[in-house]
Amino acid sequence: MESELKTLAPTPAGSLPESTMPIDDNRPLLKSDPSTPQIQSQVSNSNIEEMEKKYAAFVRHDVYGTMGRGELPWAEKLLLVLGLILLVPIRVVASMSILVIYYIICRVCTVLKAPNREDEQEDYAHMGGWRRAVIVQSGRFFSRALLFVFGFYWIQKTSRSNDVEGKLNNESESKDQSEEMERPGAIVSNHVSYLDILYHMSSSFPSFVAKRSVAKLPLIGLISKCLGCIYVQRESKSSDFKGVSGVVNERIREAHQNKFAPKMMLFPEGTTTNGDYILPFKTGAFLAQAPVLPVILRYPYQRFSPAWDSIAGARHVLLLLCQFVNYMEVTQLPVYYPSQQEKDDPKLYAENVRRLMAHEGNLILSDIGLAEKRVYHAALNGLFCQR
């Protein structure tokens, strides 16, 4: 669910790094000439190292190696086989059972209820009464159950106090604010994996920004509407971009002013990293001028990294299910109140929150984003195709 309301320009073809080439062939990576006979490619370690330095935020460092295709030691192969035999069948059945049960609960709670429709969006997150309570509480329970099935038996959570290095603005003013004004308009988090979504669902059951196609998925589509997801055609340059941005701003303001309104959850980086870096923030979460709640996620690992950085989705899920134990650490910072200067300048607001999260989460600031990630993926795919 990579988001946040910014259409990315296509990456220029000339920006692709020249990493791995066939012997005596100086042409750019990913360009082939059918007239050239097929010869065995030779990988240049120096070029790979140079590429990994440039795209460090997306480089995997676990035992499974680049794109999860590295050469494994025999001990790891044995553990992988045991996981495939003992864990994967049980976890697949358990996770599908949880998903179906929660779908049935959502179907029952929304029967004979029309969804809330606004600017080509529709959701069931604005329902009240017992229906909404059942959807939220069971959603939080089953999300945590899914994480347990995936091997996250314990989640270490830390909450920081309001005196974080003096980084929070308007401290004296916030003491006199009412409970309504202290409520954050949005939760902002670094983005490491699709598992981030499950954690936030188990913690606060917020609304997300999602691709429009998610609403049409079996089972997941109805659940996303119960979450109150805002759908966007991510690659589209059509006029509905401003409409979606407006809906997000309205929902953030609504969550800030009304404690019964669905919370908004945004990943301002717009894509996932390997968990050691934090990318530049898009401004979508900060345009509404409302306070935000920063949350930092880390996934310590011993063998397989749960970070979804430069590995195919199906391969990642399979390897994740084969791990006997997975780990997650959560750091929740205090609500960040923007100064007037930050309210007037969303880019400044976003950058200050980003630097605070980098400092408190011991994350490395990076200046690359989704466009560079695509270039890196294309280079890796070309490398393995040549091999």
Side-chain angles (χ1 to χ4, degrees):
M1 209 171 276
E2 299 171 0
S3 49
E4 287 356 12
L5 306 176
K6 188 145 182 180
T7 304
L8 292 167
T11 306
S15 64
L16 285 177
E18 297 183 4
S19 56
T20 303
M21 305 178 184
I23 300 174
D24 299 328
D25 192 344
N26 293 322
R27 289 165 301 177
L29 183 65
L30 301 180
K31 287 192 176 182
S32 59
D33 187 350
S35 65
T36 303
Q38 199 131 27
I39 57 176
Q40 176 151 12
S41 60
Q42 187 175 24
V43 178
S44 170
N45 290 331
S46 61
N47 284 347
I48 294 177
E49 291 175 2
E50 181 181 347
M51 188 168 62
E52 290 184 344
K53 287 179 181 178
K54 185 175 182 180
Y55 303 110
F58 312 120
V59 176
R60 296 188 68 82
H61 300 290
D62 60 10
V63 297
Y64 288 85
T66 304
M67 300 186 77
R69 300 181 184 182
E71 184 64 32
L72 298 178
W74 280 105
E76 186 61 33
K77 289 179 180 179
L78 177 60
L79 289 173
L80 191 59
V81 170
L82 289 175
L84 282 169
I85 297 173
L86 301 177
L87 296 179
V88 173
I90 296 174
R91 286 177 169 175
V92 169
V93 171
S95 58
M96 288 303 300
S97 299
I98 290 172
L99 185 61
V100 171
I101 291 172
Y102 185 55
Y103 170 81
I104 294 173
I105 291 174
C106 290
R107 179 59 68 189
V108 170
C109 289
T110 57
V111 68
L112 302 179
K113 278 284 187 177
N116 176 63
R117 289 186 172 88
E118 180 182 8
D119 293 335
E120 299 184 357
Q121 305 287 333
E122 63 177 36
D123 68 82
Y124 293 99
H126 290 80
M127 289 191 308
W130 67 269
R131 296 172 185 262
R132 181 62 182 167
V134 170
I135 286 176
V136 171
Q137 295 305 319
S138 60
R140 294 180 63 180
F141 172 79
F142 285 121
S143 297
R144 184 63 187 92
L146 269 177
L147 287 173
F148 187 90
V149 168
F150 291 160
F152 294 91
Y153 307 122
W154 306 275
I155 297 178
Q156 180 180 335
K157 183 175 180 179
T158 304
S159 296
R160 299 286 171 86
S161 62
N162 257 339
D163 57 352
V164 183
E165 295 290 328
K167 297 283 185 181
L168 295 180
N169 294 292
N170 298 344
E171 232 179 314
S172 58
E173 294 179 17
S174 65
K175 293 179 181 178
D176 301 326
Q177 290 176 334
S178 65
E179 179 185 352
E180 176 181 331
M181 297 307 297
E182 291 176 351
R183 190 178 304 112
I187 303 168
V188 293
S189 173
N190 64 318
H191 203 7
V192 184
S193 175
Y194 49 83
L195 299 163
D196 304 348
I197 297 170
L198 283 178
Y199 168 74
H200 288 294
M201 286 179 63
S202 70
S203 175
S204 54
F205 204 76
S207 303
F208 299 87
V209 175
K211 294 180 181 179
R212 194 173 295 277
S213 58
V214 171
K216 300 178 182 179
L217 293 175
L219 305 181
I220 301 297
L222 176 62
I223 294 174
S224 70
K225 292 177 182 179
C226 290
L227 275 166
C229 288
I230 298 174
Y231 303 108
V232 58
Q233 193 67 32
R234 195 165 177 269
E235 302 298 335
S236 174
K237 296 183 180 179
S238 63
S239 59
D240 77 335
F241 176 81
K242 290 185 178 179
V244 172
S245 179
V247 172
V248 170
N249 290 334
E250 289 175 9
R251 291 278 292 273
I252 291 176
R253 294 190 188 101
E254 181 186 13
H256 175 45
Q257 297 167 0
N258 180 6
K259 67 179 180 179
F260 298 108
K263 300 181 179 70
M264 275 302 303
M265 167 71 230
L266 295 166
F267 298 109
E269 292 170 288
T271 190
T272 54
T273 69
N274 59 14
D276 297 327
Y277 291 78
I278 189 164
L279 307 181
F281 279 6
K282 295 175 174 61
T283 57
F286 309 95
L287 294 172
Q289 303 180 347
V292 297
L293 177 65
V295 177
I296 304 165
L297 302 180
R298 299 295 294 262
Y299 293 86
Y301 63 89
Q302 296 176 352
R303 298 161 48 226
F304 174 76
S305 170
W308 189 27
D309 36 35
S310 57
I311 180 173
R315 181 185 295 269
H316 188 278
V317 172
L318 180 62
L319 293 178
L320 178 77
L321 294 177
C322 289
Q323 307 307 305
F324 288 83
V325 182
N326 291 298
Y327 304 92
M328 182 188 299
E329 295 177 355
V330 181
T331 303
Q332 180 175 303
L333 303 183
V335 176
Y336 189 106
Y337 299 96
S339 65
Q340 188 58 49
Q341 184 181 10
E342 289 171 324
K343 290 181 180 179
D344 296 337
D345 187 352
K347 289 185 178 180
L348 176 65
Y349 185 8
E351 182 61 18
N352 287 346
V353 173
R354 175 180 176 245
R355 290 186 176 276
L356 173 65
M357 293 175 66
H359 179 269
E360 295 302 320
N362 195 26
L363 301 173
I364 304 170
L365 292 168
S366 175
D367 60 356
I368 60 177
L370 180 56
E372 289 81 4
K373 184 177 185 179
R374 286 171 172 166
V375 172
Y376 179 57
H377 282 193
L380 290 179
N381 284 325
L383 178 80
F384 280 97
C385 285
Q386 286 188 345
R387 285 181 174 178

